[in-house]
Amino acid sequence: MAKPAQGAKYRGSIRDFPDFNPSQDAETLYNAMKGFGSDKEAILELITSRSNRQRQEICQNYKSLYGKDLIADLKYELTGKFERLIVGLMRPPAYADAKEIKDAISGIGTDEKCLIEILASRNNEQIHQLVAAYKDAYERDLEADITGDTSGHFRKMLVVLLQGTREEDDVVSEDLVQQDVQDLYEAGELKWGTDEAQFIYILGNRSKQHLRLVFDEYLKTTGKPIEASIRGELSGDFEKLMLAVVKCIRSTAEYFAERLFKAMKGLGTRDNTLIRIMVSRSELDMLDIREIFRTKYEKSLYSMIKNDTSGEYKKTLLKLCGGDDDAAGQFFPEAAQVAYQMWELSAVARVELKGTVRPAGDFNPDADAKALRKAMKGLGTDEDTIIDIIAHRSNAQRQQIRQTFKSHFGRDLMADLKSELSGDLARLILGLMMPPAHYDAKQLKKAMEGAGTDEKALIEILATRTNAEIQAINKAYKEDYHKSLEDALSSDTSGHFKRILISLATGNREEGGEDRERAREDAQEIADTTSGDKSSLETRFMMILCTRSYPHLRRVFQEFVKMTNYDVEHTIKKEMSGDVRDVFVAIVQSVKNKPLFFADKLYKSMKGAGTDEKTLTRIMVSRSEIDLLNIRREFIEKYDKSLHQAIEGDTSGHFLKALLAICGGED
């Protein structure tokens, strides 16, 4: 069994079996495979309740007692994913890694993701054992085989990692940290082209402790995380490898939690990845992975495996998982601490919000007005010119163009655009031409017009706007529609949902910092889900979520996790339903990370069959000068593809061109 570092707690899910008898276990396994068919239940029960060290002893005793190879017999008796999983558990960890790498580079094509996962995540000792195991098992040199199967900078970094020579000294030199930050910055952001050798040398050799400080300083110095620079400067498998290295430096357990989630989300399961991680981490850090998984994805690893797999394969994976963190009393106390620390980090991180559309430097409203008039005059319309001007001017500059257009030509630019453009492009361009508050007011009006109400649009706007933005929307709504926004909401919605929307529409959220004592009281107020009825619980949530400042709510959420071992979002989803649940979840997500909230909305507007053009347009227009650059970063971080790529794959024509101009770049 892998031994934890001195003084560290053991964080694996599989432990040594207390009354271990290898001869008896060998006999049990022999009997389970004797005769017609095999007792799979007995096999999985025994193997998942023994540590890897104990399984090796069982293998030796099996050969001594029966003159047969246990792994060969298991391969013969079992099939499919279950066989792969059980056989993986029977190999010593280094030999299991060696087998995975051999499979990854054998035959046609290479499984680069497998190479990246193993070599980016293993420590020096594990790498040395892997190299030796590969030599022993296949009588081949691992470095030579990987070199022969890969190329370029990807190959160079793999070779560096294969040396297993990462520094392990926890004493960090501040001067060297500053030097490395400068070297990385000059090798990437400040250089025409990229000096990949610097990235390889620093990320491949420096200690974890040193690199964590480098990453912190890099963010302070450049204003962007190291991951953003890697995405901007590197590409292909080399980029993926370097991002995996950075993730493992920050938190190996979080890296694997993310890999497991991606292996099971969506249609189909990446079983090879799932098996490899569950086997390799079961005696190292499975409990840490479970905690981070539960905190990050608001569901337990156990429940996701249970819903995504079946049969003996499922039973074995659940045994390796070791417990359900959604079950009463099973969510570890440490998980609250993990979540608490994540909130601490988010509370102190001061991420600068940036839009993608900025004022044009050489702005000339006169020339723009004339160019737009020419683009719409006569037969046909020059959509390219219209897009090029409007998507590359700030909203304030567009208002100047409108005024100049009217002064020059005695015509309303909005009316001309409306008559010349159509469909999705017209909605997008006209949206960009409107002042932000009037645009939001119009979207709210449209959401309440006609038969049925677009609750999602109401929630998205009212749950995410600042006090100043809400007050401007109220004024614009009254001006444009001669009716108060509150009256419109009152006549179009009902019950608790109406009360919540009206509360948000007052734009009266507190704007101070956090009050720790009051945050504990607020957390207690919403943590008590047993007292009173559902209506009383919703009122308590409304009083806190709709009125407290964002910094204060972040502290409330921290205290809530501390008290209950659950994220507040999980409790809302469990205790509430319908529009009330949706609006509270939107507020919580907006408080946690507003750019991520919008990244999720954009992803959902484009995934699957068909595109929700209205949501796509609304978010691209309304966030273009506020935080669309941050939204782009969150999008690629969560979905492994850029917003630019998603738009490109899901839209077409001039609508596509205009959206990409607003998007502002490929990540």
Side-chain angles (χ1 to χ4, degrees):
M1 185 165 66
K3 290 197 166 48
Q6 204 164 2
K9 273 171 76 178
Y10 179 68
R11 302 296 289 153
S13 54
I14 301 292
R15 295 174 175 272
D16 280 333
F17 189 69
D19 300 315
F20 179 54
N21 184 330
S23 297
Q24 194 177 308
D25 285 352
E27 189 180 342
T28 302
L29 288 172
Y30 181 76
N31 290 331
M33 293 186 281
K34 196 167 68 173
F36 185 71
S38 54
D39 186 347
K40 296 181 182 70
E41 192 78 31
I43 293 169
L44 77 87
E45 278 291 338
L46 191 146
I47 288 173
T48 55
S49 58
R50 306 296 186 270
S51 68
N52 192 277
R53 181 185 62 77
Q54 290 175 331
R55 291 180 209 128
Q56 303 319 310
E57 286 190 56
I58 296 169
C59 279
Q60 288 163 10
N61 275 267
Y62 192 90
K63 190 164 270 184
S64 301
L65 288 169
Y66 306 108
K68 301 175 78 171
D69 182 74
L70 176 54
I71 289 181
D73 279 5
L74 287 166
K75 277 183 173 177
Y76 180 77
E77 290 291 333
L78 310 176
T79 57
K81 295 174 286 195
F82 179 53
E83 176 221 316
R84 189 179 172 93
L85 177 55
I86 291 292
V87 168
L89 286 167
M90 292 308 300
R91 291 192 176 101
Y95 284 81
D97 279 352
K99 175 72 166 72
E100 289 293 327
I101 286 188
K102 186 75 170 73
D103 290 348
I105 55 180
S106 293
I108 299 167
T110 305
D111 182 353
E112 289 86 2
K113 287 181 179 175
C114 171
L115 294 181
I116 290 169
E117 181 197 296
I118 292 174
L119 295 179
S121 65
R122 303 312 192 244
N123 62 31
N124 288 348
E125 186 186 351
Q126 290 166 334
I127 292 284
H128 297 152
Q129 290 170 352
L130 160 62
V131 171
Y134 192 90
K135 186 84 171 170
D136 182 49
Y138 307 110
E139 296 179 348
R140 296 178 66 88
D141 180 68
L142 179 53
E143 185 180 321
D145 281 2
I146 283 180
T147 303
D149 215 62
T150 56
S151 61
H153 296 297
F154 178 55
R155 174 171 66 194
K156 287 175 192 169
M157 185 61 177
L158 289 176
V159 169
V160 167
L161 294 172
L162 267 176
Q163 305 316 300
T165 53
R166 184 176 295 287
E167 296 159 4
E168 293 179 328
D169 190 359
D170 281 341
V171 179
V172 176
S173 157
E174 285 183 27
D175 290 343
L176 188 57
V177 167
Q178 293 297 340
Q179 186 60 54
D180 282 351
V181 168
Q182 195 58 36
D183 288 348
L184 286 171
Y185 191 41
E186 287 174 3
E189 299 286 336
L190 295 181
K191 191 179 176 71
W192 181 259
T194 307
D195 182 359
E196 290 87 352
Q198 279 287 16
F199 279 86
I200 290 170
Y201 177 73
I202 293 170
L203 294 180
N205 290 284
R206 299 285 193 244
S207 73
K208 283 193 166 190
Q209 189 60 33
H210 175 89
L211 284 172
R212 285 178 194 132
L213 292 175
V214 169
F215 300 160
D216 291 345
E217 282 302 314
Y218 191 90
L219 179 61
K220 286 180 199 168
T221 303
T222 68
K224 60 164 70 174
I226 188 72
E227 291 91 338
S229 290
I230 288 171
R231 287 194 185 98
E233 300 298 326
L234 313 179
S235 61
D237 292 323
F238 180 46
E239 175 199 343
K240 288 172 190 159
L241 174 58
M242 297 306 253
L243 287 172
V245 168
V246 170
K247 281 178 183 171
C248 289
I249 296 294
R250 290 193 189 279
S251 166
T252 308
E254 187 169 354
Y255 170 71
F256 282 115
E258 194 177 298
R259 292 276 296 153
L260 285 167
F261 180 74
K262 286 177 178 171
M264 291 182 280
K265 77 166 186 173
L267 289 172
T269 305
R270 296 172 194 168
D271 293 293
N272 287 355
T273 302
L274 180 57
I275 291 168
R276 185 170 59 244
I277 297 172
M278 294 303 289
V279 168
S280 66
R281 310 316 291 185
S282 61
E283 294 184 41
L284 295 173
D285 52 5
M286 185 59 71
L287 300 192
D288 295 324
I289 292 168
R290 276 169 51 181
E291 286 164 14
I292 290 170
F293 194 99
R294 177 67 189 76
T295 305
K296 196 167 181 175
Y297 302 111
E298 284 133 24
K299 66 176 86 177
S300 67
L301 175 58
Y302 189 98
S303 67
M304 199 160 181
I305 291 170
K306 196 173 176 181
N307 293 330
D308 217 62
T309 58
S310 61
E312 283 86 11
Y313 175 55
K314 172 170 83 173
K315 286 179 188 172
T316 311
L317 288 170
L318 293 179
K319 290 273 186 186
L320 295 177
C321 183
D324 185 359
D325 305 323
D326 281 338
Q330 277 293 312
F331 197 41
F332 306 111
E334 291 95 332
Q337 291 309 309
V338 171
Y340 194 87
Q341 284 157 16
M342 283 167 77
W343 279 115
E344 281 288 356
L345 284 171
S346 71
V348 298
R350 291 283 173 267
V351 177
E352 187 188 352
L353 297 178
K354 287 183 180 175
T356 53
V357 175
R358 297 178 184 87
D362 51 353
F363 178 55
N364 183 338
D366 193 60
D368 285 349
K370 286 175 181 171
L372 286 170
R373 175 72 180 131
K374 187 181 175 187
M376 295 185 282
K377 207 172 171 185
L379 282 173
T381 306
D382 181 357
E383 288 93 347
D384 289 332
T385 296
I386 294 170
I387 291 166
D388 197 47
I389 293 172
I390 291 173
H392 294 101
R393 305 293 183 270
S394 68
N395 194 277
Q397 289 175 334
R398 292 181 207 125
Q399 303 319 311
Q400 283 183 255
I401 296 169
R402 278 178 77 172
Q403 191 57 55
T404 306
F405 195 88
K406 186 163 265 186
S407 301
H408 272 331
F409 308 111
R411 301 173 68 91
D412 179 12
L413 176 56
M414 293 288 279
D416 280 8
L417 287 166
K418 204 170 186 176
S419 72
E420 292 293 327
L421 305 174
S422 62
D424 295 325
L425 178 64
R427 274 189 288 274
L428 180 61
I429 294 294
L430 291 168
L432 289 167
M433 289 304 303
M434 293 179 78
H438 290 266
Y439 179 71
D440 277 347
K442 185 174 184 182
Q443 297 308 304
L444 290 168
K445 179 79 164 62
K446 279 182 170 295
M448 294 182 278
E449 261 175 0
T453 305
D454 183 353
E455 291 86 2
K456 286 181 180 174
L458 296 180
I459 290 168
E460 180 205 299
I461 295 168
L462 294 174
T464 61
R465 301 310 191 248
T466 64
N467 283 349
E469 287 167 342
I470 292 281
Q471 284 152 16
I473 291 167
N474 273 293
K475 190 179 171 190
Y477 199 94
K478 185 85 173 170
E479 198 179 301
D480 294 346
Y481 308 111
H482 313 293
K483 183 180 184 179
S484 76
L485 176 57
E486 184 180 325
D487 287 348
L489 290 167
S490 290
S491 59
D492 211 67
T493 57
S494 60
H496 265 91
F497 182 54
K498 174 174 83 174
R499 290 174 57 203
I500 296 161
L501 292 182
I502 288 172
S503 175
L504 292 171
T506 60
N508 205 24
R509 186 181 290 285
E510 295 164 5
E511 292 192 333
E514 62 178 63
D515 176 337
R516 289 199 179 214
E517 189 52 47
R518 189 180 178 212
R520 278 191 285 272
E521 289 167 11
D522 286 347
Q524 188 62 60
E525 187 73 18
I526 56 177
D528 185 7
T529 55
T530 52
S531 71
D533 57 12
K534 189 178 176 184
S535 174
S536 148
L537 181 65
E538 289 173 352
T539 301
R540 278 181 277 142
F541 265 87
M542 181 181 82
M543 286 169 63
I544 290 162
L545 292 185
C546 296
T547 64
R548 306 293 194 255
S549 72
Y550 271 32
H552 180 81
L553 283 174
R554 286 191 189 101
R555 179 62 64 182
V556 172
F557 298 164
Q558 279 180 292
E559 295 298 335
F560 187 89
V561 170
K562 212 173 176 185
M563 285 174 191
T564 66
N565 276 351
Y566 281 103
D567 188 278
V568 67
E569 201 177 319
H570 176 270
T571 299
I572 290 168
K573 287 173 178 172
K574 186 180 170 193
E575 299 292 335
M576 299 174 200
S577 59
D579 296 328
V580 170
R581 175 199 61 210
D582 293 345
V583 70
F584 282 151
V585 165
I587 295 168
V588 170
Q589 290 178 344
S590 181
V591 171
K592 284 179 178 180
N593 184 337
K594 199 178 284 186
L596 179 58
F597 170 80
F598 284 115
D600 283 339
K601 292 281 176 202
L602 284 170
Y603 178 76
K604 284 170 187 165
S605 76
M606 292 181 278
K607 81 166 187 176
T611 305
D612 178 357
E613 287 89 356
K614 286 181 183 175
T615 300
L616 176 57
T617 299
R618 187 171 60 242
I619 295 173
M620 294 296 287
V621 168
S622 65
R623 309 316 294 180
S624 60
E625 292 184 51
I626 300 172
D627 55 4
L628 190 53
L629 190 61
N630 306 79
I631 291 167
R632 269 169 44 185
R633 287 174 184 166
E634 295 292 348
F635 195 98
I636 196 167
E637 180 68 31
K638 183 159 182 182
Y639 298 109
D640 282 336
K641 69 172 170 182
S642 66
L643 177 58
H644 189 283
Q645 286 171 319
I647 290 169
E648 221 169 19
D650 219 63
T651 59
S652 60
H654 287 106
F655 181 51
L656 162 66
K657 186 176 179 182
L659 285 171
L660 292 182
I662 300 166
C663 182
E666 166 64 286
D667 298 304

